[in-house]
C-alpha cells in the first residue's frame, strides 16, 4: 500500500485548498491521502468537502469550553498526537496559518514526521495584523521540511528568513484549482434571490457586486463604514445588484441587517457553501472583500478586488494590478468602486494579466513535491512566474 499522508483541515479555507491535493494524490496513485478534520470548525469543513464529493477520513473529537486559543491549540495537539502515534503517516500537510495549521505542524514535528507547509511564505510584516495568523505561519515556517510557496514573492520571503532554498518550491495556490473546478460545475443556487441576481448579471441586465466583510478587525465601526459605502453605491448606480454573505456571528449579522435595511437590490445571506460562493464570484463585476481566499480566486474570473483591509499579505494582487487596498474608508471605497463602474475598460485592464496566484496546476505540483520528499518521484518544476491570462 502506498504511504499515508495526512492532510489536516480545521477551517473551510483549509478544506477547500486541501481537497484538490487529495484528489491529485488519488489520481497519481503514489500516496494515500488521509483527510483529517481537526475539529476547529467541523461543520464548515464538512460542508466544504461536500462540494468536492469527499468526506474527512478522520474527524477528531474536540471539546471546547472557553473558546480560547490556548484551549483550542492544546486540545488539537493532544488529539493529533494520539492519531499520529496510531497511524504513523509518512508526512503531514498543513495549510495556511490557522490554529489547526500550527497544531498539526507542532504535533508532527514532535513525532519527527516531515511537515509540508502548503501556502507557505505569506507575510504581512506585522505580528498584530492579521492576528494571530502572522505568528502562526512564521512559527510553522521553522518546523516544516518542505515549504510550498504559492508565488515567487512568498518564496522570497522564506529565503529572506534563511529557509534552505532546496526545501522551497513555488507551486501556485491550490485555491485556484478548487475555484476553477467548482465554478465550472455551475451548481444551482439554493437561494432564489442569488439565482435571480446572477441571472440578471449573465444577461447584461445588471452588474453584480460581491461584498464580504468577515474578518474580526472589520467588525464594529469599520463594518458600519463599509455598509454605508454599499448604500451610497447602490443609490448612485441603478443597475447594481449586491450580494453580501453575512458572518454567522449573530451580532455581526444584526449589524449588517440594520445597516442595509430597506436598501433595494441588496441581498444579505447566510454564509454560502463554497460552490455557491465560487459561482457568484465568477459572475461578479467586482468584489469588495476582506477575504484572503477571494483575493486569490477573483483574478481567475477576471474580477477586480477592492480589499477592505489596511494591509494584506497577498500583495501579489496589488503588484499585478488586479486588486487595490481601500481599507474601511467609506469615501475611498465609494470613489474606487465608482472608477471601475464608470470605466469598464479600466475594470477590464485590472485583470488582463491573469492570476498571479496560480494556473490551476498547483495540486499536481504539490503531489509531485510530496512524492519527491518521500523518495517516490523527481522534483517538479516550479510554477512559471508569469501566468497567461
Amino acid at each position: 500500500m502506498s504511504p499515508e499522508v495526512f492532510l489536516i483541515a480545521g477551517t473551510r479555507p483549509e478544506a477547500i485548498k486541501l481537497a484538490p491535493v487529495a484528489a491529485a494524490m488519488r489520481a497519481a496513485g503514489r500516496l494515500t491521502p488521509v483527510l483529517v478534520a481537526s475539529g476547529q470548525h467541523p461543520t464548515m469543513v464538512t460542508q466544504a468537502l461536500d462540494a468536492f464529493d469527499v468526506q474527512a477520513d478522520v474527524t477528531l473529537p474536540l471539546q471546547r469550553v472557553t473558546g480560547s486559543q490556548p484551549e483550542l491549540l492544546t486540545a488539537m495537539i493532544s488529539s493529533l498526537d494520539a492519531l499520529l502515534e496510531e497511524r504513523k503517516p509518512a508526512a503531514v500537510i498543513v495549510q495556511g496559518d490557522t490554529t489547526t495549521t500550527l497544531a498539526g505542524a507542532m504535533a508532527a514535528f514532535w513525532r519527527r514526521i516531515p511537515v509540508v507547509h502548503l501556502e507557505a511564505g505569506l507575510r504581512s510584516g506585522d505580528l498584530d495584523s492579521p492576528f494571530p495568523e502572522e505568528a502562526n505561519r512564521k512559527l510553522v515556517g521553522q518546523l516544516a521540511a518542505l515549504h510550498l510557496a504559492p508565488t515567487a514573492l512568498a518564496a522570497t520571503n522564506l529565503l529572506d528568513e534563511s529557509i534552505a532554498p532546496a526545501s522551497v518550491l513555488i507551486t501556485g495556490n491550490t485555491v485556484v484549482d478548487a475555484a476553477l473546478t467548482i465554478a465550472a460545475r455551475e451548481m444551482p443556487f439554493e437561494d432564489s434571490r442569488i439565482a435571480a441576481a446572477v441571472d440578471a448579471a449573465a444577461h447584461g441586465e445588471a452588474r453584480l457586486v460581491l461584498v464580504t466583510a468577515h474578518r474580526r478587525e472589520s467588525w464594529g465601526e469599520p463594518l458600519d463604514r463599509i455598509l454605508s459605502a454599499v448604500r451610497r453605491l447602490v443609490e448612485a448606480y441603478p443597475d447594481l445588484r449586491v450580494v453580501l454573505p453575512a458572518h454567522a456571528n449573530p451580532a455581526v449579522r444584526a449589524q449588517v441587517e440594520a445597516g442595509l435595511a430597506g436598501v433595494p437590490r441588496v441581498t444579505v445571506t447566510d454564509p454560502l457553501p463554497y460552490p455557491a460562493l465560487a459561482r457568484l464570484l465568477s459572475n461578479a463585476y467586482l468584489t469588495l472583500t476582506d477575504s484572503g481566499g477571494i483575493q486569490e480566486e477573483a483574478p481567475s474570473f477576471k474580477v477586480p478586488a477592492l480589499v477592505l483591509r489596511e494591509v494584506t499579505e497577498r500583495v501579489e494582487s496589488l503588484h499585478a494590478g488586479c486588486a487595490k487596498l481601500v481599507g474601511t474608508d467609506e469615501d475611498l471605497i465609494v470613489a474606487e468602486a465608482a472608477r471601475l463602474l464608470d470605466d469598464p475598460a479600466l475594470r477590464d485592464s485590472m485583470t488582463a494579466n491573469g492570476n498571479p496566484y496560480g494556473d490551476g496546476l498547483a495540486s499536481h505540483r504539490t503531489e509531485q513535491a510530496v512524492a519527491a520528499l518521500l523518495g517516490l518521484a523527481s522534483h517538479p518544476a516550479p510554477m512559471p512566474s508569469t501566468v497567461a491570462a
Side-chain angles (χ1 to χ4, degrees):
M1 185 176 178
S2 56
E4 285 191 348
V5 175
F6 281 11
L7 297 84
I8 303 177
T11 66
R12 185 169 90 158
E14 287 171 302
I16 290 168
K17 294 178 181 182
L18 287 169
V21 177
M25 288 182 173
R26 285 191 292 269
R30 293 180 288 204
L31 304 166
T32 299
V34 178
L35 282 163
V36 178
S38 72
Q40 183 173 350
H41 291 159
T43 301
M44 289 186 176
V45 167
T46 298
Q47 291 173 343
L49 294 178
D50 283 346
F52 299 89
D53 298 321
V54 295
Q55 297 177 337
D57 299 291
V58 179
T59 299
L60 298 177
L62 191 64
Q63 300 296 324
R64 302 185 68 178
V65 178
T66 68
S68 70
Q69 290 293 305
E71 177 191 62
L72 176 62
L73 181 66
T74 53
M76 286 195 295
I77 288 177
S78 178
S79 294
L80 286 167
D81 182 66
L83 181 64
L84 293 171
E85 182 179 24
E86 175 190 351
R87 300 282 289 258
K88 297 179 174 59
V92 166
I93 301 179
V94 294
Q95 191 282 326
D97 49 27
T98 70
T99 307
T100 289
T101 310
L102 182 58
M106 293 178 72
F109 178 76
W110 287 334
R111 287 280 173 184
R112 295 189 177 276
I113 297 170
V115 175
V116 178
H117 190 192
L118 187 65
E119 199 180 90
L122 274 65
R123 298 291 184 268
S124 71
D126 182 356
L127 283 175
D128 289 326
S129 181
F131 181 89
E133 289 87 349
E134 177 78 356
N136 289 346
R137 53 195 175 217
K138 293 189 73 172
L139 290 167
V140 174
Q142 299 304 305
L143 305 177
L146 179 61
H147 309 259
L148 302 181
T151 65
L153 177 58
T156 299
N157 290 337
L158 293 165
L159 299 179
D160 287 346
E161 294 175 1
S162 299
I163 300 297
S167 70
V168 178
L169 178 72
I170 303 169
T171 57
N173 198 311
T174 59
V175 75
V176 176
D177 307 26
L180 292 173
T181 298
I182 294 298
R185 296 180 184 177
E186 295 191 346
M187 297 173 68
F189 293 105
E190 295 181 2
D191 190 323
S192 61
R193 300 172 301 165
I194 299 177
V198 169
D199 185 68
H203 288 87
E205 299 166 1
R207 289 184 289 181
L208 181 62
V209 177
L210 171 63
V211 180
T212 70
H214 291 167
R215 300 191 70 87
R216 195 172 295 272
E217 58 262 35
S218 298
W219 298 358
E221 290 185 11
L223 181 56
D224 280 336
R225 295 193 292 270
I226 294 168
L227 298 175
S228 181
V230 170
R231 291 197 302 270
R232 289 171 58 185
L233 287 167
V234 171
E235 181 179 351
Y237 295 91
D239 66 332
L240 284 195
R241 299 285 290 267
V242 173
V243 177
L244 193 160
H247 196 281
N249 181 291
V252 178
R253 177 61 179 264
Q255 183 181 358
V256 171
E257 296 278 10
L260 296 176
V263 180
R265 293 173 280 113
V266 174
T267 300
V268 177
T269 75
D270 293 332
L272 294 176
Y274 186 64
L277 186 65
R279 188 179 173 197
L280 182 60
L281 177 62
S282 72
N283 283 275
Y285 185 89
L286 66 91
T287 180
L288 311 178
T289 184
D290 61 2
S291 163
I294 288 179
Q295 290 176 62
E296 296 159 346
E297 296 159 341
S300 288
F301 302 117
K302 300 187 182 302
V303 177
L306 297 182
V307 182
L308 305 172
R309 296 172 60 181
E310 302 302 328
V311 62
T312 179
E313 59 275 38
R314 283 139 174 113
V315 296
E316 292 89 346
S317 293
L318 308 181
H319 295 164
C322 49
K324 188 165 187 176
L325 279 177
V326 294
T328 59
D329 182 311
E330 176 185 339
D331 291 335
L332 184 58
I333 294 169
V334 171
E336 291 298 335
R339 289 180 68 232
L340 300 177
L341 292 164
D342 291 339
D343 189 347
L346 175 63
R347 179 259 186 193
D348 293 344
S349 71
M350 283 186 67
T351 57
N353 293 323
N355 192 336
Y357 297 107
D359 55 2
L361 298 175
S363 301
H364 172 69
R365 294 188 189 95
T366 297
E367 186 280 332
Q368 280 190 300
V370 177
L373 177 70
L374 300 178
L376 302 175
S378 59
H379 288 278
M383 187 186 81
S385 58
T386 301
V387 181

